[in-house]
Amino acid sequence: MTADTTGVNATTKGADAIDEAIAKGIDFDGTPIPTAKLELYTKVMALEANRQRSGVSNTMRSRIVRIGAKHIPQAELDQLLTDAGFAPLKEKEIAFFYGGK
């Protein structure tokens, strides 16, 4: 039995690509995602869905820092945050996201 990979490999870019692959239960290489992994992911995402939020700006900043640190040098990200009216990088964020670089 072969897995239906239609659309999974069509694009592997962007956050939606991950969600679509998870929903289909198929990794980008066409292999099925093990049931135990899918069940754990579903359980943790349900917990997250029920968590009280602190505000949109706080969440936006967190996402910018978490994702931006993968693509933008520390000093530049810090300046971009400040220019946009967000708090600059915190020492713990710098240590976590840039400490090993």
Side-chain angles (χ1 to χ4, degrees):
M1 179 175 154
T2 60
D4 177 18
T5 59
T6 306
V8 174
N9 289 326
T11 179
T12 58
K13 295 181 181 180
D16 290 345
I18 298 292
D19 292 336
E20 290 171 17
I22 291 168
K24 291 178 181 180
I26 308 217
D27 207 329
F28 292 142
D29 64 3
T31 60
I33 300 169
T35 302
K37 288 182 179 182
L38 288 170
E39 288 173 354
L40 177 57
Y41 179 83
T42 301
K43 179 179 181 176
V44 171
M45 291 303 107
L47 292 169
E48 180 65 10
N50 290 321
R51 183 174 62 86
Q52 180 65 41
R53 304 295 182 203
S54 59
V56 175
S57 285
N58 289 339
T59 300
M60 287 174 62
R61 185 190 177 283
S62 294
R63 289 178 179 176
I64 291 166
V65 170
R66 180 173 42 89
I67 296 167
K70 296 175 187 176
H71 306 283
I72 303 169
Q74 176 188 331
E76 184 179 349
L77 180 58
D78 195 51
Q79 187 62 53
L80 290 168
L81 287 166
T82 304
D83 291 349
F86 288 109
L89 291 169
K90 300 171 188 168
E91 287 300 319
K92 68 179 185 176
E93 292 169 331
I94 294 168
F96 183 80
F97 292 109
Y98 292 101
K101 295 181 181 178

